[in-house]
Amino acid sequence: MTIQRCFALVQERWRTALLTSLLVLAAAAAAIWVQTPVYQASASVFVRTGASGDVFDRTEASDYAVQRITTYADLATSPLVLDPVIEALDLHTDADSLASVLTVQIPEDSLLLTISAEDTDPEQAARIANLVAASLRTEVSGLESASGPSPIHLTTVAPALPPEHPARPDLPLLLGLALLAAVAAGIAVALVRGTFDDRVRDAQDLTALTERPLLASIPEARSGEPPFLPLEDVAPQGRRAEALRGLRTTLRHLGLGTELRTLLVTSAVHGEGATSTALDLASTLAREGHRTLLIDADLRGTWTDHGLGLGHRDGLSTALRGGAAWTTLVQPTALEGLSVLAGGPRPQNPGALLDSFRMTTLLRDAADRYDIVLIDAPPVLALSDSTTLAQQVSGTLLVAGSGRVRSVQLSLALRKLQLVDADALGIVLNRVPRGDLETYYELPPEATTAGAVPGSAVAASAGPRTGRRRRTVPPGTDLQGMSSGSTRNASITRSES
């Protein structure tokens, strides 16, 4: 894995890295906080000789003190010195335990003994250090004078004082280490998740997965917003509306309204937003003056009303069973130009109905009556219905839910469509986090005009209907940015059959 890829993974999953870092930092801070502070107090004892006279005598006495000072350091932690301290302070411990909290150091090239004592009470730490120094003076004096006048004398030159700050834990050091550990943990978790997470999240993932072009990236709905554009009070400059207009313009380059008269909208797995994408695209086209029919072809599920105001439940399944003419089951919506053919009651054999001659005839007649026919189909991997319908339409849009579909699932769906000679025109990346999208501008709601976005009228032109002819797209082409001023307001030419 290259350094650039590591940076990209961390950037893509910065929320995971940040959350992990905060959790590790909080845990480390809590662990530091519950530690009991320990204070250390030190007393300095000077080892001097009682020699007097010429320089030779003083030098010899100094050498003797240097030889003995190491012994005195060992003696300071012995029961001989510590037992009197335990008795004087009434400590509930023994000499070995007390010795474990003592440190005796000899600075280099000096005759000083530094006796340090540790305790959770700073006052007690100072008392222990001072009493150990006093007890050491007494015992050394007694030992050295056993055979005559003592040549060595110990003097406390710096008594221990209660410390103001604990010796440990070392808060600045531990917090610095905790911060480094937190950052390292966050980066590690982001890299691990990025390496083993095969969900499709952005255009880069799609480019590495397939040569099919990315037609549009539709942002996720804000908190409290419906997952589809309402039929009224739409902000024309909103990111979602603009993304759908970009999708419309891209499809126009591919022949929408001419070669592409019937368009299947599906996904690899459930929950990627194919239905909301079909509804949004249909309402976008209707707002621009195109007579649009949206067909619910998911006969195995229950398609909700989505606020369209449908009056009855009969629909496609009713027509395919011969219960009524499909034209009598089409229901208008509150949005002028948008009609809906609901799925109808759930039949016993939905696959056979969708693969019937009646379905083929219905789609052909609908293309003659409407400018554009959008078919909302079930997921490709769940059922064979989508591949059956894909062979009867002019083109197929495959919706990929950002962070929802896995790479292997999307690959299998594309392969399944390819096997029935129904390659997807391209992929619509849906529910992309808004922070991952770049936008040129986005006007505030008060600066936009509620209602339909004006579009051009549908012009009629002579010429036979072309059936399933498709305009080809070079592999790997990113068609999101193909919108231009010259095509934005161009009308879709309708072919007469």
Side-chain angles (χ1 to χ4, degrees):
M1 183 182 296
T2 63
I3 296 179
Q4 291 80 359
R5 180 56 178 165
C6 291
F7 276 116
L9 289 176
V10 174
Q11 185 178 12
E12 292 170 4
R13 290 160 178 81
W14 66 269
R15 295 180 181 86
T16 299
L18 179 60
L19 179 60
T20 303
S21 298
L22 292 177
L23 290 176
V24 172
L25 188 60
I32 295 172
W33 182 260
V34 299
Q35 290 187 24
T36 303
V38 176
Y39 297 86
Q40 186 181 69
S42 301
S44 297
V45 178
F46 178 66
V47 182
R48 64 181 179 86
T49 63
S52 61
D54 56 22
V55 175
F56 178 79
D57 292 337
R58 289 196 297 269
T59 302
E60 185 176 329
S62 179
D63 292 340
Y64 176 78
V66 171
Q67 295 173 6
R68 303 290 282 179
I69 194 171
T70 304
T71 303
Y72 300 154
D74 295 336
L75 185 63
T77 57
S78 67
L80 181 66
V81 173
L82 299 183
D83 285 341
V85 176
I86 294 174
E87 183 178 355
L89 295 176
D90 194 20
L91 301 178
H92 301 285
T93 185
D94 55 21
D96 291 338
S97 299
L98 182 57
S100 65
V101 300
L102 292 176
T103 303
V104 182
Q105 296 177 327
I106 305 173
E108 188 176 359
D109 298 330
S110 73
L111 294 177
L112 284 177
L113 288 174
T114 302
I115 301 174
S116 302
E118 293 183 347
D119 197 88
T120 56
D121 182 4
E123 299 283 347
Q124 183 74 334
R127 285 193 292 268
I128 293 175
N130 288 328
L131 285 177
V132 170
S135 179
L136 179 63
R137 290 198 313 269
T138 302
E139 298 301 330
V140 168
S141 178
L143 292 174
E144 292 292 352
S145 62
S147 59
S150 174
I152 300 296
H153 300 281
L154 302 186
T155 303
T156 301
V157 296
L161 298 176
E164 297 181 358
H165 304 287
R168 64 174 189 273
D170 188 345
L171 293 181
L173 175 61
L174 293 180
L175 289 177
L177 294 176
L179 181 59
L180 291 177
V183 172
I187 293 176
V189 171
L191 291 178
V192 170
R193 288 199 61 183
T195 301
F196 293 98
D197 185 8
D198 64 342
R199 289 182 176 87
V200 175
R201 299 182 182 275
D202 51 29
Q204 184 179 0
D205 294 337
L206 288 175
T207 302
L209 181 65
T210 177
E211 293 183 344
R212 291 291 88 196
L214 175 61
L215 302 180
S217 294
I218 301 177
E220 62 183 351
R222 288 192 177 95
S223 177
E225 286 184 347
F228 57 92
L229 293 177
L231 299 183
E232 299 177 354
D233 300 329
V234 175
Q237 301 300 337
R239 286 194 185 184
R240 295 172 66 198
E242 184 63 30
L244 288 162
R245 286 195 293 271
L247 174 60
R248 174 261 299 153
T249 302
T250 301
L251 292 175
R252 180 181 297 157
H253 280 278
L254 300 178
L256 184 65
T258 55
E259 292 92 345
L260 296 177
R261 299 291 297 279
T262 53
L263 191 62
L264 185 74
V265 182
T266 183
S267 60
V269 296
H270 179 72
E272 298 187 72
T275 297
S276 62
T277 301
L279 178 57
D280 285 346
L281 180 58
S283 60
T284 299
L285 294 171
R287 283 189 177 90
E288 297 186 352
H290 311 310
R291 293 179 299 168
T292 306
L293 175 64
L294 177 61
I295 300 177
D296 173 22
D298 188 359
L299 303 184
R300 303 173 191 264
T302 54
W303 192 62
T304 59
D305 181 85
H306 288 302
L308 297 176
L310 304 183
H312 55 81
R313 296 184 58 189
D314 291 335
L316 180 61
S317 62
T318 307
L320 295 180
R321 289 199 304 258
W326 72 270
T327 53
T328 64
L329 302 175
V330 173
Q331 303 182 62
T333 66
L335 180 60
E336 183 179 359
L338 175 60
S339 302
V340 174
L341 178 58
R346 183 173 180 176
Q348 295 182 351
N349 55 344
L353 292 178
L354 294 176
D355 197 22
S356 64
F357 178 74
R358 282 181 177 174
M359 184 66 189
T360 303
T361 304
L362 186 153
L363 292 177
R364 183 177 64 247
D365 294 344
D368 292 338
R369 291 174 176 267
Y370 293 89
D371 303 318
I372 301 163
V373 179
L374 298 179
I375 302 97
D376 174 36
V380 175
L381 298 184
L383 305 165
S384 61
D385 298 356
S386 291
T387 53
T388 298
L389 291 170
Q391 301 174 68
Q392 306 178 49
V393 296
S394 304
T396 300
L397 284 184
L398 190 60
V399 177
S402 176
R404 175 68 177 87
V405 64
R406 297 186 180 276
S407 299
V408 63
Q409 294 171 330
L410 186 58
S411 297
L412 288 175
L414 290 169
R415 178 61 177 166
K416 195 172 180 180
L417 291 172
Q418 185 180 16
L419 289 175
V420 296
D421 191 25
D423 285 351
L425 295 172
I427 297 173
V428 177
L429 193 59
N430 193 32
R431 297 174 182 171
V432 180
R434 289 177 176 265
D436 297 343
L437 292 175
E438 295 181 356
T439 180
Y440 179 67
Y441 66 91
E442 183 172 7
L443 296 179
E446 60 270 16
T448 61
T449 304
V453 178
S456 56
V458 179
S461 64
R465 182 175 175 272
T466 55
R468 293 187 64 221
R469 288 177 53 198
R470 300 190 184 95
R471 184 173 298 182
T472 59
V473 181
T477 304
D478 187 348
L479 297 176
Q480 291 186 84
M482 292 184 63
S483 301
S484 62
S486 60
T487 61
R488 185 176 296 273
N489 294 318
S491 61
I492 298 177
T493 304
R494 179 180 176 230
S495 300
E496 298 291 336
S497 59

